[in-house]
Amino acid sequence: MKVSLFITCLSEMFYQNVAKDVVEVLERLGCEVDFPKGQICCGQPAFNSGYKKDAQKAAKQMIASFEKAEYIVTPSGSCAAMFKEYPELFHDDENWRERAKSVADKTYEFSQFIVHVLKVEDVGAIYPGRATFHTSCHMTRLLGEKEAPSLLLKNVKGLEMLPLKNNYDCCGFGGTFAVKMAPISERMVDEKVRHVEESTADLLIAADNGCLMNIKGRINRKGKPIEVKHIAQILNSRVEGVT
């Protein structure tokens, strides 16, 4: 099975190890992974800020880069959800709308692809520890994916998953929201950190690097001894043949 990787801006600039883990997990599960060089930002910041023409410009570049892919996989529920917005972004342009729909239909968030396309719920990972999981807004509310990460994490040997109070609440990131509404964002992430502490977990896992960056930044500022990792890092841990 051939997979084209959309790595996202945050993974490319700040979390290259997550990209490496994603590729290694997919290859171990039998996928042939390529990396279309024409990829840029998915256009979500412009789209969320109301700059439709700028979002269309980014979307056209992404559609042209990925339309020949068999499957498109990205380690971000948020960016995957943006791909699903592409057809509506070109609702008045039949040609681009059809091309956008073709790309949107074969786009999956990383854990979603493993569970729903590859039909795998146990990747053979081992990660001793006590963890809790933050469900990002875009992945659950816009992409509609609520189960795939939990199904994979419950099969990681040695990993005890603990419930997170109000786990579906936003962490306060929301891309441009954190910039435009900084005081509100700060209170939201403080509440998220408090709930992570209350869970007694040593590790917070999520499937969106934007959320992880926001929560980890607050955890570090408060000096809390809690690790933060992307789900790909956990699923690529201590599998036979992996160092």
Side-chain angles (χ1 to χ4, degrees):
M1 186 175 292
K2 293 184 178 179
V3 170
S4 293
L5 177 65
F6 168 42
I7 200 52
T8 81
C9 304
L10 290 181
S11 292
E12 181 181 8
M13 291 188 285
F14 301 108
Y15 297 103
Q16 293 90 351
N17 285 342
V18 170
K20 174 175 172 290
D21 288 322
V22 168
V23 172
E24 289 182 352
V25 170
L26 291 175
E27 288 183 340
R28 195 168 65 247
L29 295 176
C31 298
E32 180 182 336
V33 183
D34 68 15
F35 185 82
K37 293 182 179 179
Q39 61 184 278
I40 55 173
C41 172
C42 64
Q44 187 180 144
F47 179 75
N48 288 351
S49 300
Y51 298 113
K52 181 179 178 181
K53 289 184 178 179
D54 291 324
Q56 285 178 326
K57 185 177 180 180
K60 285 181 177 179
Q61 176 67 30
M62 294 296 277
I63 292 166
S65 298
F66 282 97
E67 60 187 342
K68 293 181 180 178
E70 182 176 348
Y71 289 100
I72 302 161
V73 174
T74 181
S76 166
S78 179
C79 295
M82 183 62 210
F83 271 56
K84 304 298 184 183
E85 298 281 0
Y86 283 176
E88 178 58 25
L89 195 57
F90 296 104
H91 67 88
D92 56 355
D93 185 328
E94 183 177 357
N95 176 46
W96 277 104
R97 185 175 65 249
E98 291 303 313
R99 295 174 67 180
K101 186 175 185 309
S102 174
V103 167
D105 288 347
K106 55 188 174 185
T107 297
Y108 296 86
E109 180 274 334
F110 171 66
S111 64
Q112 182 182 50
F113 178 77
I114 293 174
V115 171
H116 298 304
V117 179
L118 298 181
K119 307 297 183 185
V120 173
E121 295 184 6
D122 186 349
V123 300
I126 303 170
Y127 196 100
R130 290 161 51 84
T132 193
F133 185 77
H134 164 68
T135 53
S136 73
C137 302
H138 282 183
M139 184 162 173
T140 54
R141 296 180 178 89
L142 298 184
L143 194 61
E145 182 55 65
K146 299 180 179 179
E147 303 297 329
S150 299
L151 290 172
L152 291 166
L153 290 172
K154 80 174 185 180
N155 287 313
V156 174
K157 293 178 179 59
L159 185 65
E160 180 184 359
M161 293 302 298
L162 302 169
L164 179 64
K165 183 180 179 182
N166 297 342
N167 65 319
Y168 286 110
D169 281 2
C170 176
C171 70
F173 180 59
T176 55
F177 175 82
V179 177
K180 294 177 179 177
M181 304 287 185
I184 299 174
S185 173
E186 182 177 312
R187 294 191 66 175
M188 293 170 75
V189 74
D190 277 348
E191 182 178 71
K192 181 64 67 175
V193 171
R194 185 169 69 250
H195 289 157
V196 173
E197 277 192 289
E198 290 170 356
S199 76
T200 72
D202 304 312
L203 168 66
L204 174 68
I205 304 170
D208 268 282
N209 280 325
C211 302
L212 290 176
M213 177 180 284
N214 188 42
I215 301 170
K216 182 178 181 180
R218 202 60 182 162
I219 285 174
N220 289 346
R221 285 182 179 86
K222 288 178 171 292
K224 305 295 183 183
I226 302 170
E227 279 194 280
V228 177
K229 289 185 179 294
H230 189 276
I231 188 172
Q233 296 174 283
I234 305 302
L235 299 183
N236 200 31
S237 295
R238 295 182 58 184
V239 179
E240 185 177 359
V242 176
T243 58

